[in-house]
Amino acid sequence: MYKRVLTIQDISCVGQCSLTVALPILSACGQETCILPSAVLSTHTGGFSGFTFRDLTLDIPSIWQHWKKENIQFDYIYTGYLGSTLQIGYVQDLFAAMKSEGCMTVVDPAMADNGKLYTGFDAAYAAAMTQLCAEADVMVPNITEACFMTGHPYQETYDEAYIDALLGKLDALGNGTVVLTGVGYSPEQTGVVIYRDGKKWYYTHAKEPKSYHGTGDVFASAFVGALASGKTMEKAVEIAAEYTALCIRKTCDDPAHWYGVKFETAIPELIGMLQA
């Protein structure tokens, strides 16, 4: 299958996240990958200081209006980090204008982790992102993002009943599929839950000893790439989770590489998973 995928997020020139992750991973999955940059940064913001930032918000409407004029359509639209509520509004307009028949929209809310919103985001941003997720075919939040979108109390430790309640609140936002990441019921494990049509499916694997910036982008990009390659939702989650874990393992023995994962070194294995 050769699909046209549009991904909308920032370009962090150094740091192995956002579009510098999404573009190569989706391309490695064999898909035509189109990009709509929301901003350009010299590095990502997680541990670097003095980074440059170029806001591209006002370019978004003119870009998609040109696409509309040229009758350019997409099979998948996948969003990652969006820098403002205005950008979220523009993406909502783009969803409405550009969704061709059968187009799937996937939103990674990319706004919070470890119980806190990212720097620069507030309750108004979280509310706007909640609405975007509600309009998507698939939302891919982590537990923190899910809590901000639903008002569910955040807990570092939890049981299955807690996750079930959170899934129910996410499901109530819209009619799409929920893919909840970072779900683990013991310190040694983590996993991903799919919830749709009142049914729950859970994929679990060993939790890696380290965490890195950008692994959410790695997971979401591999997930969309696997879907576009014709994999089922469940198989796409399995592939994306295993690929992300492998990227961490290929990085954790290098203390100098603290800012992201060496996802490029695991691309041959990703292609193998897709071909299996």
Side-chain angles (χ1 to χ4, degrees):
M1 294 185 177
Y2 185 62
K3 301 293 186 179
R4 177 180 287 164
V5 181
L6 170 64
T7 181
I8 309 170
Q9 47 193 308
D10 71 283
I11 300 174
S12 290
C13 299
V14 172
Q16 292 173 307
C17 67
S18 56
L19 281 179
T20 62
V21 163
L23 178 56
I25 289 177
L26 288 165
S27 298
C29 290
Q31 310 309 324
E32 178 184 358
T33 307
C34 307
I35 64 170
L36 180 49
S38 58
V40 179
L41 294 82
S42 54
T43 65
H44 64 62
T45 61
F48 293 103
S49 60
F51 52 84
T52 66
F53 177 85
R54 175 75 65 179
D55 186 2
L56 300 179
T57 300
L58 298 182
D59 293 293
I60 293 174
S62 57
I63 290 172
W64 71 255
Q65 287 287 355
H66 179 233
W67 290 340
K68 186 177 179 181
K69 180 181 177 182
E70 295 295 320
N71 197 33
I72 296 171
Q73 297 183 335
F74 304 96
D75 298 299
Y76 291 81
I77 303 176
Y78 148 48
T79 70
Y81 183 97
L82 301 173
S84 66
T85 56
L86 182 58
Q87 286 189 3
I88 293 172
Y90 284 153
V91 171
Q92 288 176 297
D93 293 341
L94 191 149
F95 275 11
M98 300 296 295
K99 281 185 69 175
S100 59
E101 185 176 352
C103 174
M104 177 177 284
T105 53
V106 180
V107 174
D108 175 1
M111 65 177 176
D113 205 357
N114 299 314
K116 297 180 180 180
L117 287 168
Y118 293 156
T119 300
F121 294 160
D122 56 15
Y125 181 92
M129 183 58 74
T130 301
Q131 184 58 44
L132 185 64
C133 283
E135 296 174 9
D137 295 310
V138 184
M139 65 174 83
V140 192
N142 59 35
I143 292 175
T144 298
E145 291 157 349
C147 288
F148 274 107
M149 291 195 294
T150 62
H152 200 62
Y154 174 77
Q155 295 178 197
E156 291 187 5
T157 58
Y158 47 81
D159 57 14
E160 190 171 358
Y162 172 89
I163 294 298
D164 287 347
L166 182 56
L167 290 169
K169 291 181 178 180
L170 290 168
D171 183 60
L173 294 176
N175 296 317
T177 299
V178 177
V179 176
L180 183 64
T181 64
V183 179
Y185 300 117
S186 70
E188 299 81 21
Q189 290 187 315
T190 189
V192 183
V193 178
I194 300 174
Y195 189 79
R196 60 181 173 185
D197 300 327
K199 297 179 181 179
K200 181 175 62 172
W201 181 87
Y202 182 41
Y203 183 76
T204 183
H205 59 89
K207 187 174 183 179
E208 300 301 326
K210 292 185 179 181
S211 60
Y212 291 89
H213 190 92
T215 50
D217 301 333
V218 170
F219 174 87
S221 300
F223 169 68
V224 174
L227 283 179
S229 299
K231 301 299 183 182
T232 65
M233 191 80 64
E234 292 79 6
K235 190 63 178 179
V237 161
E238 178 183 343
I239 288 172
E242 291 297 333
Y243 174 62
T244 303
L246 179 60
C247 293
I248 294 172
R249 292 196 296 273
K250 285 179 173 286
T251 309
C252 63
D253 62 349
D254 184 355
H257 204 97
W258 54 267
Y259 48 84
V261 289
K262 300 178 181 179
F263 73 93
E264 303 92 341
T265 64
I267 282 178
E269 287 92 337
L270 173 61
I271 294 171
M273 294 178 200
L274 292 169
Q275 294 175 342

